[in-house]
Amino acid sequence: MKAGEVLPPLEIPVTRTLIVAGAIASRDYQDVHHDAELARQKGSPDIFMNILTTNGLVGRYITDHFGATAVLRRVSIRLGAPNHPGDTMVLTGEVTEVETGPDGATAQVRVVGKNGIGSHVTGTVTVTVPAAASVDGSPA
């Protein structure tokens, strides 16, 4: 892990099921996340993903890359263009800073998730990888 390291992109198909399941799993029962007609009445072309689902997908992106032993220390994200069903969100990331200590390395990772209409999510994740683990989560 080093500053400037670029994480491989992750394509996430944005399905109606993903949006609704994410909202239910996070107990977000706002109608704009599950009822297309009510979402349209409120000015949206369709239902859209909630921030908690996006937050979970960003966390998954980071731990998929850094391994099962990686610990998310801080996730700071901001939403932009909504994720609607039928689109694809592509997450990308770049390590911007790394601090190494006796217990492992802690990195700041800049994350962007884009869909067909723009940037859905931007933010920074602080992640620690224990010294005894490699990037893929296997023992060093």
Side-chain angles (χ1 to χ4, degrees):
M1 157 179 2
K2 63 182 183 223
E5 175 184 350
V6 176
L7 282 62
L10 174 64
E11 291 189 12
I12 299 172
V14 181
T15 65
R16 191 167 300 280
T17 300
L18 175 63
I19 293 169
V20 173
I24 291 170
S26 60
R27 296 182 178 190
D28 184 346
Y29 304 118
Q30 294 293 317
D31 51 27
V32 294
H33 303 307
H34 65 85
D35 188 315
E37 184 55 38
L38 290 176
R40 282 191 279 281
Q41 288 176 16
K42 293 181 177 181
S44 179
D46 204 338
I47 63 171
F48 53 90
M49 186 176 287
N50 73 352
I51 191 168
L52 295 171
T53 302
T54 300
N55 194 62
L57 292 170
V58 167
R60 168 192 161 196
Y61 177 58
I62 297 298
T63 57
D64 279 359
H65 180 74
F66 290 102
T69 61
V71 177
L72 300 179
R73 300 290 181 191
R74 182 171 187 262
V75 178
S76 176
I77 61 171
R78 182 171 213 152
L79 293 183
N83 269 340
H84 294 290
D87 207 341
T88 299
M89 178 174 65
V90 180
L91 288 167
T92 57
E94 180 178 355
V95 176
T96 59
E97 184 181 329
V98 177
E99 291 182 27
T100 304
D103 295 330
T106 298
Q108 303 291 323
V109 182
R110 177 84 179 138
V111 176
V112 176
K114 293 186 177 184
N115 60 31
I117 57 176
S119 290
H120 170 68
V121 63
T122 56
T124 304
V125 177
T126 304
V127 59
T128 299
V129 178
S134 68
V135 169
D136 69 0
S138 61

